Amino acid sequence: MTFGKRLMQLRKEHGYRNRDAFAAELGIPANTLRNYEMDIREPGFPFLIKMSQLFHVSTDYLLGLTEERATTAVDVQSISEQQLIEKYRLLDCTGKELVDYTIAIELKRTTLLENQKTAFSIMSRRLIS
């Protein structure tokens, strides 16, 4: 499969159905993206790296050198994390804002609990000493 076909397939798999909107999100002209997807033009390294990171695939996969999508990055996401990210990308702006807000609140709560545990542990050690 060519680079253009893989790029188009990955774009659609990740919920970016509209090519023009995706190009705008990337900050490139829609014609440029069309030319990449139709294999009329070849992208430069920065674009390849950006697509590799965005779609979590290796540049070798994008270039058609391997059928293995996985990157060799140390921080490999679990399947459930990948599914959550894909679902998040399908949300509209309001949905994304709700998810972002919920995550921010939960991070505060978790941090507070961790701080309380640490403080309790320090106090317990002082009392025992």
Side-chain angles (χ1 to χ4, degrees), residues 82-119:
Q82 290 174 4
Q83 290 170 340
L84 287 172
I85 291 168
E86 289 170 12
K87 288 176 185 176
Y88 179 85
R89 288 180 177 152
L90 295 174
L91 297 174
D92 63 8
C93 291
T94 303
K96 287 179 180 176
E97 286 176 11
L98 279 168
V99 170
D100 294 344
Y101 176 77
T102 303
I103 289 172
I105 296 297
E106 282 301 300
L107 282 173
K108 285 180 185 177
R109 184 186 65 80
T110 303
T111 303
L112 180 63
L113 285 174
E114 287 300 316
N115 291 342
Q116 288 174 347
K117 286 179 187 176
T118 303

Side-chain angles (χ1 to χ4, degrees), residues 58-71:
S58 69
T59 52
D60 284 353
Y61 176 78
L62 282 172
L63 294 171
L65 300 174
T66 181
E67 294 302 312
E68 180 65 39
R69 288 183 176 208
T71 62

Side-chain angles (χ1 to χ4, degrees), residues 120-129:
F120 180 75
S121 176
I122 292 169
M123 286 176 36
S124 296
R125 278 186 262 152
R126 286 183 184 163
L127 290 174
I128 293 172
S129 301

Side-chain angles (χ1 to χ4, degrees), residues 6-62:
R6 287 196 181 193
L7 178 61
M8 187 183 315
Q9 177 184 11
L10 288 165
R11 172 176 60 82
K12 290 178 180 179
E13 282 177 12
H14 285 81
Y16 299 106
R17 300 283 179 224
N18 184 299
R19 181 188 294 150
D20 293 347
F22 183 57
E25 191 172 317
L26 294 175
I28 64 172
N31 249 3
T32 300
L33 181 60
R34 180 192 168 283
N35 288 341
Y36 291 161
E37 289 186 348
M38 303 307 285
D39 293 306
I40 295 169
R41 284 188 59 205
E42 293 178 349
F45 293 129
F47 185 82
L48 283 172
I49 293 167
K50 188 174 188 175
M51 294 302 94
S52 172
Q53 292 170 338
L54 177 67
F55 296 132
H56 305 289
V57 296
S58 69
T59 52
D60 284 353
Y61 176 78
L62 282 172

